[in-house]
Amino acid sequence: MSERKLDLGWLRIFEAVGRLGSLTGAGAELGLSQPAVSYQIRRIEEQVGAPLISRMHRGCKLTTAGETLFRAVHGGLERIDDAARQVRASLSSPVMRIFTDYGFASFWLMPRVAEFRRLHPGIDVHVVASQGLEGAFDGTSDAAILFGRRADFPGEARLLMPERVVPVCSAGYRARYGPFDDPRSLSRQPLLHLDTVGKPRWLTWTTWLAVQGVEREPAQGDLGLNTYGFVIQAALSEQGIALGWIGLVDAHLAGGSLVAVGPEVRRDDCGYWLVTTGEGNERRKALSDWLLSQPQ
Amino acid sequence: MSERKLDLGWLRIFEAVGRLGSLTGAGAELGLSQPAVSYQIRRIEEQVGAPLISRMHRGCKLTTAGETLFRAVHGGLERIDDAARQVRASLSSPVMRIFTDYGFASFWLMPRVAEFRRLHPGIDVHVVASQGLEGAFDGTSDAAILFGRRADFPGEARLLMPERVVPVCSAGYRARYGPFDDPRSLSRQPLLHLDTVGKPRWLTWTTWLAVQGVEREPAQGDLGLNTYGFVIQAALSEQGIALGWIGLVDAHLAGGSLVAVGPEVRRDDCGYWLVTTGEGNERRKALSDWLLSQPQ
DNA sequence: GGTTGCCATAGAGAACGTTTATGTCAGAAC
DNA sequence: GTTCTGACATAAACGTTCTCTATGGCAACC
């Protein structure tokens, strides 16, 4: 179905008359009667202060003044119509892709994305979760949400969530092996590690303990897992104590399935960053605005 | 006094809103109330199918879609307003200057220019007559009508009147010294020459006689005059026989004050050429059209 | 000479665009 | 914390614009 043209009044009428050399022909094309076209041309001639067409017995011709104005009107209409098409095309792109890691996808994004879809029913959101950064900037995503420090990202990246980490375990675990009033008490427990290839960008148990001034040799009961979902799942099944990122474990803390068992460590320079990929358009901006407006 | 702007409806309103970031401010600039502006923006958003501004509590901002459309509208308005200014500027030049020689001015143009002025009451016509070509192309004239051959003028020059020449004298002169049935009889009469500095571009008696196959020594009674008006005046006062250019002496031939006394010599490559000077505009075109439409 | 088809004008009615009145509300000022 | 300010939104009424049909004029065509 062809798109509906913007109402541009006499501009469309004049352009059609100039192009077709006929008031009747222009009216036929625009769905107007011939006197309506005649009326509009005369009114604009009054505004300009010069004849724009010379009327022949059958048909008409642009005057020199008319040709000058016609070129400008024709060019202007092309630009405005192009812009309208571009706006509409950008509205009809139905899928928004968000690239992120598994942890953020599972614990933060998926629970919330329903609200975005409710606010923007015409938009489908696809979450593209990955282990690393490969594919984050290959142009197929509309936004990337990635963990790292400020210097890891382009200047226009926005901090979505600063890194705030607290040790957590299940309430049952604490009841059985706790209480853990002193950070040093954690060093005697099996700790759950989030493994990665290469140097981790997020806070680790090593760093957490060092901040507390606690020395610990690697205990034999420690567990290493390669996705954060597995880490939380192990904590929930009372296999040890995990690090909990505020923002990701909020629902578990609120529901009581996990409890905090130590002080929070915070690194304001680190966190989840929003990087908008590709050229800005209406939907991408809507997505960014929504992500940035979420309460922390 | 500033010129009156073309009525461009929502285009002006949207451009002002986008530029000022305020519906109230746009209304103030355009002489509209704030609800009128609000109404227009909302209507065009319905037509486009997307929000064009995001409304804040105080003021507004273009959305990404709005920015796309704004650039096109802004550019389009500039072009249309420029064209309107150009059209109006070309209408406000009240004097048309025609550069020509004295002969053409006296015998062809002055008798006819009244008709042009009657057809175009808003235009004053100034005839700038000159002995030579100096000043013809110095930019102060709107048109130049000059005698010469095709190669003497730019490609776009138009032939107004080809050169057709016939010997003429007063009826009284013929009655007294005639008849002149044979071209050779003219060689015994005093001839009236149109003098010029340098080589003449128009047909001369020398050429006319050579075409007839008549040999003639310069007669003692010949007269040389430096304007064509003087030449015709001398012919009318029975001082000799002149060359008469068809187109210039038509009124005298028709009225009987001059009579043709020999065969016509014609040079189709020579004649009066119309050269339009300066850029085309409405009035210059009107002048050219009128000159070219005159019967020969 | 009659027909055709395009442009112009007039009058009436529909649609648009504007105003005034009023409500809402976030930010500024006190 | 309360009050004030000013900008945007909406509703209703009114004025202006735009459109229609009816009709006239007229040059080109048949």
Side-chain angles (χ1 to χ4, degrees):
Chain A
M1 160 163 81
S2 69
E3 71 196 1
R4 174 189 177 203
K5 291 226 181 240
L6 298 181
D7 179 2
L8 289 164
W10 71 261
L11 292 169
R12 292 215 188 277
I13 294 172
F14 177 63
E15 192 276 334
V17 169
R19 173 167 40 85
L20 301 171
S22 160
L23 287 90
T24 304
E29 180 171 293
L30 297 170
L32 295 170
S33 66
Q34 174 266 321
V37 173
S38 181
Y39 168 86
Q40 285 289 352
I41 297 299
R42 196 154 42 76
R43 272 191 86 247
I44 203 60
E45 282 174 327
E46 284 160 14
Q47 289 188 35
V48 169
L52 297 173
I53 59 172
S54 58
R55 289 133 166 107
M56 302 179 300
H57 180 65
R58 281 176 176 268
C60 59
K61 244 162 92 174
L62 288 167
T63 59
T64 304
E67 280 171 356
T68 299
L69 189 61
F70 176 84
R71 283 192 291 273
V73 165
H74 186 78
L77 287 181
E78 279 188 331
R79 296 174 69 149
I80 292 166
D81 285 336
D82 282 350
R85 260 192 295 280
Q86 192 177 331
V87 164
R88 285 171 175 145
S90 78
L91 295 175
S92 66
S93 170
V95 175
M96 304 292 297
R97 291 184 139 78
I98 306 176
F99 183 102
T100 189
D101 62 35
Y102 285 106
F104 192 86
S106 299
F107 295 101
W108 194 96
L109 190 53
M110 295 307 291
R112 286 172 169 77
V113 81
E115 183 199 299
F116 179 84
R117 295 184 60 179
R118 190 164 46 73
L119 291 172
H120 302 272
I123 303 181
D124 267 348
V125 177
H126 289 193
V127 177
V128 183
S130 177
Q131 198 75 8
L133 297 181
E134 297 80 7
F137 302 109
D138 66 2
T140 60
S141 301
D142 298 280
I145 303 174
L146 305 166
F147 194 94
R149 58 177 54 239
R150 181 76 195 85
D152 293 330
F153 300 108
E156 67 270 19
R158 307 285 294 278
L159 183 65
L160 256 192
M161 190 166 69
E163 181 175 49
R164 295 165 60 197
V165 183
V166 66
V168 297
C169 66
S170 69
Y173 187 90
R174 184 174 64 178
R176 186 184 306 194
Y177 301 101
F180 304 110
D181 302 307
D182 194 309
R184 282 171 298 194
S185 61
L186 297 184
S187 65
R188 296 189 285 273
Q189 299 299 322
L191 301 179
L192 307 172
H193 301 269
L194 178 57
D195 287 341
T196 186
V197 173
K199 185 178 165 67
R201 297 183 304 281
W202 47 80
L203 197 103
T204 62
W205 270 116
T206 304
T207 305
W208 192 89
L209 291 167
V211 169
Q212 311 306 327
V214 173
E215 290 184 358
R216 178 188 185 260
E217 323 239 32
Q220 210 161 359
D222 280 7
L223 212 62
L225 305 108
N226 71 340
T227 73
Y228 194 59
F230 290 160
V231 169
I232 294 303
Q233 197 173 333
L236 289 170
S237 58
E238 303 192 1
Q239 302 196 36
I241 301 177
L243 288 174
W245 273 266
I246 300 303
L248 300 192
V249 295
D250 296 18
H252 288 291
L253 293 175
S257 55
L258 291 177
V259 293
V261 291
E264 180 185 295
V265 171
R266 180 180 179 129
R267 297 196 295 180
D268 287 339
D269 187 49
C270 290
Y272 276 103
W273 295 83
L274 170 63
V275 186
T276 306
T277 54
E279 288 188 19
N281 62 27
E282 179 65 11
R283 280 181 166 76
R284 282 177 175 160
K285 196 168 189 307
L287 178 64
S288 295
D289 290 344
W290 174 76
L291 285 166
L292 290 163
S293 70
Q294 290 304 296
Q296 296 307 325
Chain B
M1 154 165 87
S2 66
E3 71 195 0
R4 173 191 178 205
K5 290 226 180 241
L6 297 182
D7 178 4
L8 288 164
W10 70 262
L11 292 168
R12 293 215 187 275
I13 295 172
F14 176 64
E15 192 274 336
V17 168
R19 172 168 39 87
L20 300 171
S22 159
L23 287 89
T24 304
E29 180 172 292
L30 297 170
L32 295 170
S33 66
Q34 175 265 321
V37 174
S38 182
Y39 169 86
Q40 286 289 349
I41 297 299
R42 196 155 41 75
R43 272 189 86 247
I44 201 59
E45 282 176 326
E46 283 161 13
Q47 289 188 34
V48 168
L52 297 172
I53 59 173
S54 59
R55 289 138 167 103
M56 303 180 298
H57 180 67
R58 280 176 175 267
C60 60
K61 244 162 93 175
L62 289 167
T63 60
T64 303
E67 280 171 357
T68 299
L69 188 62
F70 175 82
R71 283 192 291 272
V73 165
H74 186 79
L77 287 182
E78 280 188 332
R79 296 174 72 150
I80 292 165
D81 285 336
D82 283 348
R85 260 193 296 278
Q86 194 177 330
V87 165
R88 285 172 174 144
S90 76
L91 295 173
S92 66
S93 171
V95 175
M96 305 293 296
R97 294 184 134 79
I98 307 176
F99 183 103
T100 191
D101 63 33
Y102 286 105
F104 193 88
S106 298
F107 295 101
W108 195 96
L109 191 53
M110 295 308 292
R112 288 171 167 76
V113 81
E115 186 198 297
F116 180 82
R117 295 184 61 179
R118 191 165 45 73
L119 292 170
H120 301 274
I123 301 178
D124 266 348
V125 179
H126 288 191
V127 178
V128 185
S130 176
Q131 198 75 7
L133 297 181
E134 297 79 8
F137 301 111
D138 67 0
T140 59
S141 299
D142 298 281
I145 303 174
L146 305 166
F147 194 95
R149 58 177 55 238
R150 180 80 198 80
D152 293 331
F153 300 109
E156 67 270 20
R158 306 284 294 276
L159 183 64
L160 255 192
M161 192 167 69
E163 183 178 47
R164 296 165 59 198
V165 185
V166 65
V168 298
C169 66
S170 69
Y173 187 92
R174 185 174 61 179
R176 184 183 307 193
Y177 302 100
F180 303 111
D181 304 305
D182 194 312
R184 283 172 297 192
S185 60
L186 297 184
S187 64
R188 294 190 287 274
Q189 299 299 322
L191 302 179
L192 306 172
H193 301 269
L194 176 58
D195 286 343
T196 187
V197 174
K199 185 179 167 65
R201 297 183 305 282
W202 48 79
L203 196 101
T204 63
W205 270 115
T206 304
T207 306
W208 190 89
L209 291 166
V211 170
Q212 312 306 326
V214 173
E215 290 183 2
R216 178 188 188 259
E217 319 234 41
Q220 212 161 359
D222 280 6
L223 212 62
L225 305 108
N226 70 340
T227 74
Y228 195 60
F230 288 158
V231 170
I232 295 305
Q233 198 174 331
L236 290 171
S237 59
E238 305 193 359
Q239 299 196 36
I241 302 178
L243 288 174
W245 273 265
I246 302 302
L248 301 189
V249 295
D250 296 18
H252 287 292
L253 293 175
S257 55
L258 290 177
V259 296
V261 290
E264 180 184 293
V265 170
R266 181 182 181 125
R267 298 194 297 179
D268 286 340
D269 188 50
C270 291
Y272 277 101
W273 295 83
L274 170 64
V275 184
T276 306
T277 53
E279 288 189 18
N281 63 26
E282 179 67 12
R283 279 181 167 75
R284 282 175 175 162
K285 198 171 187 309
L287 177 65
S288 296
D289 290 347
W290 174 77
L291 285 166
L292 290 162
S293 70
Q294 291 302 297
Q296 297 306 331

